[in-house]
Amino acid sequence: MLALRLTRAARLAVQLRRLLVAVASAGTGFLLLCALGHALSHPGTPGASALRLAWCAAPLAAAVQLAVAVARTDPGTRPRSGLSAIGLGPARLMAVSATTTALSGALGSVAALLVFLHLRGDLTGGPPLAGVATDALAAGQSLPAPAVLTLLTLVPATASAAVAYTLRPRDPRPAASTAARGYGRFGAYGWGKARETFGAYGRFGARWTGERAARTAAPDQAGTGSPPAAEGTVLTRTDPPGPATSVSGGPLPATAAGLPTAVCGPGAASSGLPMGASGFATGGSGPASAGDPGGRSPDGPAAGAPAPRPQNATVLPWGVTALAVGLAVEAYTGGAGTTPSAGVLIGWALTAVGLALAGPGLTQLCGRLLQAARPGALRLLAGRVLMEESQRVGRPLGVAAAVAAAAYVATTVYDSDGPAFGPLSTLGALLVAGCTLATLLTAAVEAKHSRAGATDALLRLGAPPATLRAAAAVRAAALLALFGPLTLVVAVLAALPLSR
């Protein structure tokens, strides 16, 4: 009931994205039903029917990817502070997202069944419509209800499970320290952050801890309103507690020099500035703010928000490996002038998986290259945003590159010598291309919404809007310059063994 209410109260853009999921589910369900009809019409060739059913995996994967992207950008199921008190925690919101996706997929499956029955002539009681592949409709034969139900529930169930897995609640645990072991005094326990010289521990006044530190910091905190020092906090004479002071000796206000309070205050880490900009805006020397030694603001991940995903590019070698294996499988199983076989399907699946795995790493590499060789403000901003959004935009870009390479091979190899594309092949190609493009656009919208706080902060700091638009153009040009030649190289390598 809650999923239905959220679906009905959503905005127009959200409803259009859910409608796209329903359309993708309808097209995929119709192709699955056509594969079933071909199996009923040709009982003597089970291999060809199984191959048709296997090729339906491509539009199924594209539809599931679109459903996951739409669920991630749904504002109605986004975790907010205070919702857990009324029973809408992360697990409940994940269940609502999965239910909404299942409803959209079920609507598309019902539409596919109605269209299939109409083309067969079961709804009108007449002959099947002319101009349609009659061998895939199994006209005049009864459809097995269990098989129809299984095929129609495949898309909603798979999409709902993928959404539930993607949006599952994660425990924000701190990352393990990878710093080198610091060797201090004899008997020191743990991982020291800095080396200690001989006799540093026993030097008079070197460390103030416990009650002495609390008594010393109490007079300063009474006038400034800063929180008291925790038990065991180490305070040095070179880093006294208290507010920042100006050159004249008075306290420095948060809005000095035209800086907004949202950027200069203790919650600047949650304003969305990319890659440690909040720490530098507060006058610090890095990402850590003055209010929290650990670099976490009170409104950050410690307050219950999901922890940001780490910038991890270690899957890039696995992506390159899967890409090479996919091209090798296509080279050994493909042939010129023949219908695409199961080996070609497996090869293209491995190629798409390899490009999807290598996409985030390539996007992050593109951002690093933009910041190389003494970059200016424009290239620095564009490169930082690309590195931040590599995990979100990289995979759809990799899948789009795989689909573009497959389209190039299909039009150059199988267009003249191979069999002509029928209506079902055209429908499958349009489904895969449309879902891939819609997923890429949805990921771009999600990335824009995620950095809305950083954009607002930069505008408040005085950055001209033309600079932000120029940075977006630089990012698009850099991605096109990297993924364009990569797509062409993959397409040429895949077409070489098939054109022999």
Side-chain angles (χ1 to χ4, degrees), residues 391-403:
Q391 296 290 335
R392 186 177 287 109
V393 186
R395 291 184 180 179
L397 279 174
V399 175
V403 171

Side-chain angles (χ1 to χ4, degrees), residues 433-492:
C435 290
T436 303
L437 182 60
T439 303
L440 184 58
L441 295 179
T442 305
V445 171
E446 182 189 2
K448 181 180 179 181
H449 290 169
S450 66
R451 63 174 182 270
T455 303
D456 295 341
L458 289 175
L459 291 176
R460 289 195 301 268
L461 287 171
T467 303
L468 301 180
R469 291 192 294 267
V474 169
R475 292 195 302 269
L479 291 176
L480 185 61
L482 179 63
F483 281 91
L486 175 64
T487 303
L488 185 60
V489 168
V490 171
V492 170

Side-chain angles (χ1 to χ4, degrees), residues 119-218:
L119 293 178
R120 280 169 47 93
D122 295 339
L123 298 180
T124 59
L129 296 180
V132 185
T134 56
D135 58 341
L137 297 177
Q141 300 183 17
S142 60
L143 296 175
V148 172
L149 185 61
T150 301
L151 292 177
L152 290 180
T153 56
L154 184 60
V155 180
T158 308
S160 179
V163 168
Y165 178 78
T166 304
L167 302 182
R168 69 191 186 278
R170 293 178 175 88
D171 186 14
R173 299 177 181 176
S177 177
T178 57
R181 175 75 180 266
Y183 298 95
R185 64 186 183 278
F186 177 76
Y189 178 78
W191 299 82
K193 293 184 178 180
R195 292 178 61 90
E196 294 181 356
T197 58
F198 178 76
Y201 181 76
R203 189 175 297 131
F204 176 76
R207 297 171 182 267
W208 295 345
T209 59
E211 297 180 357
R212 184 178 179 183
R215 289 195 304 267
T216 306

Side-chain angles (χ1 to χ4, degrees), residues 385-411:
V385 172
L386 275 182
M387 292 180 64
E388 286 288 333
E389 304 298 335
S390 60
Q391 296 290 335
R392 186 177 287 109
V393 186
R395 291 184 180 179
L397 279 174
V399 175
V403 171
Y408 175 83
V409 173
T411 54

Side-chain angles (χ1 to χ4, degrees), residues 214-327:
R215 289 195 304 267
T216 306
D220 297 332
Q221 293 163 357
T224 59
S226 58
E231 182 69 22
T233 304
V234 178
L235 302 176
T236 62
R237 290 178 296 179
T238 59
D239 190 15
T245 57
S246 60
V247 179
S248 60
L252 184 62
T255 56
L259 295 179
T261 307
V263 179
C264 298
S270 61
S271 61
L273 291 177
M275 298 195 68
S278 59
F280 295 102
T282 56
S285 59
S289 61
D292 190 356
R296 295 174 298 179
S297 64
D299 300 331
R309 287 181 295 182
Q311 301 292 337
N312 190 4
T314 57
V315 296
L316 181 59
W318 295 101
V320 175
T321 303
L323 176 62
V325 171
L327 293 176

Side-chain angles (χ1 to χ4, degrees), residues 322-419:
L323 176 62
V325 171
L327 293 176
V329 170
E330 293 177 34
Y332 280 105
T333 59
T338 61
T339 306
S341 59
V344 176
L345 174 62
I346 296 174
W348 274 116
L350 291 174
T351 302
V353 169
L355 288 175
L357 291 177
L362 292 177
T363 306
Q364 192 173 14
L365 176 63
C366 186
R368 290 184 179 275
L369 291 178
L370 278 178
Q371 303 174 70
R374 304 185 65 177
L378 185 62
R379 286 198 295 136
L380 184 63
L381 180 61
R384 290 293 178 89
V385 172
L386 275 182
M387 292 180 64
E388 286 288 333
E389 304 298 335
S390 60
Q391 296 290 335
R392 186 177 287 109
V393 186
R395 291 184 180 179
L397 279 174
V399 175
V403 171
Y408 175 83
V409 173
T411 54
T412 56
V413 176
Y414 294 107
D415 190 17
S416 57
D417 299 333

